[in-house]
Amino acid sequence: MRKLKTIEMQRLTIDEFQKAEKLPLVVVLDDVRSLYNIGSVFRTADAFRVEAVYLCGITATPPHPEIHKTALGGEDSVSWRHFSSADDAVEELRRNGYYVYAVEQAEGSTKAPLLLPDGNSGSHRRYAVVLGNEVKGVHQSVVDRCDNCLEIPQFGTKHSMNVSVTAGIVIWEFARQLLL
């Protein structure tokens, strides 16, 4: 088995990426502190052609060298917006017909792998996922505005995972159901 060279992978240019059909998913970052986590989310969002990343509250915005260090240009290809709060972002998403999940441990949460409402029925529903602060998670006021909570089952001694790792798992789950 031989590893592929970058040129053999036929990756999209930024212009081609921006014109290409997107995974109908917006990733919302609610007060994420780490610039490296933000960059990692952009890189994963690029890999799966996510529609957009919404940066909320204290979440830093590009351009920034520490975001770029892990995004490796994903911050240039993926559309993004900044909101003063994730509450505002979720309200706008809901007004625009998105089904919004908070990724959080909560009473009655849906455990991954999830079955998306209308995900495979041919409807063209659009989704959003809210990922929270590295210490406090998604604000309760934001959870209250979401349609549902998605929880990744964990079997060890810790009760949480890194936000960028969580983003990768969640984005993959949506891509697996909506693109493959």
Side-chain angles (χ1 to χ4, degrees), residues 64-153:
H64 196 289
E66 289 180 23
I67 292 174
H68 180 73
K69 186 174 184 173
T70 50
L72 296 178
E75 75 279 27
D76 299 324
S77 56
V78 177
S79 295
W80 62 270
R81 290 179 57 193
H82 183 266
F83 289 81
S84 61
S85 73
D87 295 293
D88 294 340
V90 169
E91 286 297 325
E92 180 174 304
L93 288 161
R94 302 249 354 254
R95 276 194 309 273
N96 289 322
Y98 286 79
Y99 189 92
V100 183
Y101 288 95
V103 181
E104 191 58 79
Q105 297 166 334
E107 294 174 353
S109 63
T110 300
K111 305 280 195 273
L114 73 143
L115 179 59
L116 297 176
D118 303 322
N120 295 318
S121 69
S123 86
H124 295 16
R125 184 176 285 237
R126 297 180 339 178
Y127 301 93
V129 292
V130 183
L131 298 150
N133 175 274
E134 292 89 342
V135 174
K136 297 181 180 180
V138 178
H139 286 96
Q140 183 63 53
S141 62
V142 176
V143 170
D144 293 342
R145 286 175 167 75
C146 291
D147 295 294
N148 202 341
C149 284
L150 173 62
E151 183 176 336
I152 299 170

Side-chain angles (χ1 to χ4, degrees), residues 54-66:
Y54 287 3
L55 308 166
C56 303
I58 66 166
T59 307
T61 61
H64 196 289
E66 289 180 23

